[in-house]
Amino acid sequence: TFCSRNGTVIKKIPVVPATEKVIYSENGRYILKTIRYNEFDEHQEGAILYDYNGNIIWNKSKGIFTAVSDEGYTATGFASPDGSFYPFEIYDLNGIKILNEKHLGLSSSDLINAGGKFSGSFYIIGSGASRETKIYVFSLPDGKRIMGKKFMGYIWIPNIKILSQKTLALCINNEKADTLIFLDLKGKIMWRLSPPFNYFIGPVSF
């Protein structure tokens, strides 16, 4: 449901939870209604991109879309432990494909149990399992890889956030203790903290 500032309903859009999901950009500027991946039906795919007023930007019948940014970039792609896979591709606000795995310099060995998200003006891919995770950060729209770093432990993709044009924060989960890490976009760790409880990384500023 899209509402105005005074609470007036502007538009209602039906969502079928069993086959569809809604993804919001970090600050809610764009909303992506996607078709959920179904390994038993390869034709079950597609998405609709809306602005914050509920206006349709584009409607696609193809693609397993997984992320949207505040600048209107959208992305497809995932790699599951069971072998399910869909190519990682990035589209601009007009729905035109601008980057794929080749442009990003990724190979199949880079994409194991992998997923992606947007944060700020960057696209982030996390790949790995419980003992080791690789994080790749790409600038947009050129797709230049500005960081590729391996961490011991599992990093849940939503727990990675670009805090500024120079700083990234993430939370690593492992058997001993969760670790909150701040690092620059060259991969240099600025500081880390291992508390006896889980962190959820939300809006942080300096």
Side-chain angles (χ1 to χ4, degrees):
T1 301
F2 294 85
C3 299
S4 65
R5 291 182 178 180
N6 62 11
T8 302
V9 175
I10 300 174
K11 181 182 291 186
K12 288 187 176 181
I13 298 172
V15 177
V16 182
T19 58
E20 299 174 328
K21 64 179 178 179
V22 178
I23 303 171
Y24 302 90
S25 65
E26 280 188 319
N27 295 311
R29 291 187 63 186
Y30 293 97
I31 297 93
L32 190 64
K33 185 175 82 165
T34 73
I35 303 297
R36 294 181 183 273
Y37 172 72
N38 184 345
E39 61 180 316
F40 303 108
D41 184 358
E42 296 181 355
H43 300 290
Q44 184 174 304
E45 53 184 301
I48 303 175
L49 179 66
Y50 300 89
D51 66 15
Y52 61 88
N53 286 318
N55 300 308
I56 294 177
I57 306 298
W58 52 249
N59 186 341
K60 291 184 177 293
S61 60
K62 299 291 184 179
I64 303 298
F65 285 83
T66 55
V68 58
S69 80
D70 278 326
E71 296 175 337
Y73 293 109
T74 52
T76 65
F78 68 88
S80 299
D82 64 5
S84 301
F85 176 84
Y86 195 89
F88 285 79
E89 298 174 340
I90 297 176
Y91 296 76
D92 67 12
L93 178 58
N94 297 313
I96 299 172
K97 182 168 64 177
I98 58 172
L99 297 168
N100 58 27
E101 293 161 18
K102 183 177 180 180
H103 296 131
L104 299 176
L106 297 171
S107 65
S108 58
S109 62
D110 297 318
L111 302 171
I112 301 172
N113 189 25
K117 67 168 288 184
F118 292 100
S119 186
S121 57
F122 300 90
Y123 183 60
I124 303 169
I125 290 178
S127 174
S130 59
R131 295 185 178 182
E132 180 181 292
T133 304
K134 295 179 181 178
I135 299 298
Y136 305 97
V137 180
F138 304 91
S139 59
L140 296 173
D142 59 8
K144 180 181 179 181
R145 184 189 297 187
I146 60 173
M147 192 184 87
K149 190 173 180 66
K150 180 172 65 176
F151 299 87
M152 301 310 296
Y154 180 70
I155 301 173
W156 189 42
I157 299 299
N159 275 1
I160 307 172
K161 187 174 181 64
I162 301 290
L163 303 179
S164 69
Q165 292 295 105
K166 299 180 180 180
T167 312
L168 179 146
L170 54 85
C171 184
I172 302 175
N173 305 113
N174 55 46
E175 296 176 356
K176 296 181 179 180
D178 294 342
T179 303
L180 179 66
I181 296 179
F182 279 60
L183 59 161
D184 64 25
L185 293 183
K186 294 181 180 179
K188 181 181 178 180
I189 294 176
M190 301 165 63
W191 59 266
R192 67 173 68 207
L193 179 66
S194 296
F197 52 86
N198 292 336
Y199 269 97
F200 175 78
I201 298 174
V204 181
S205 63
F206 292 97

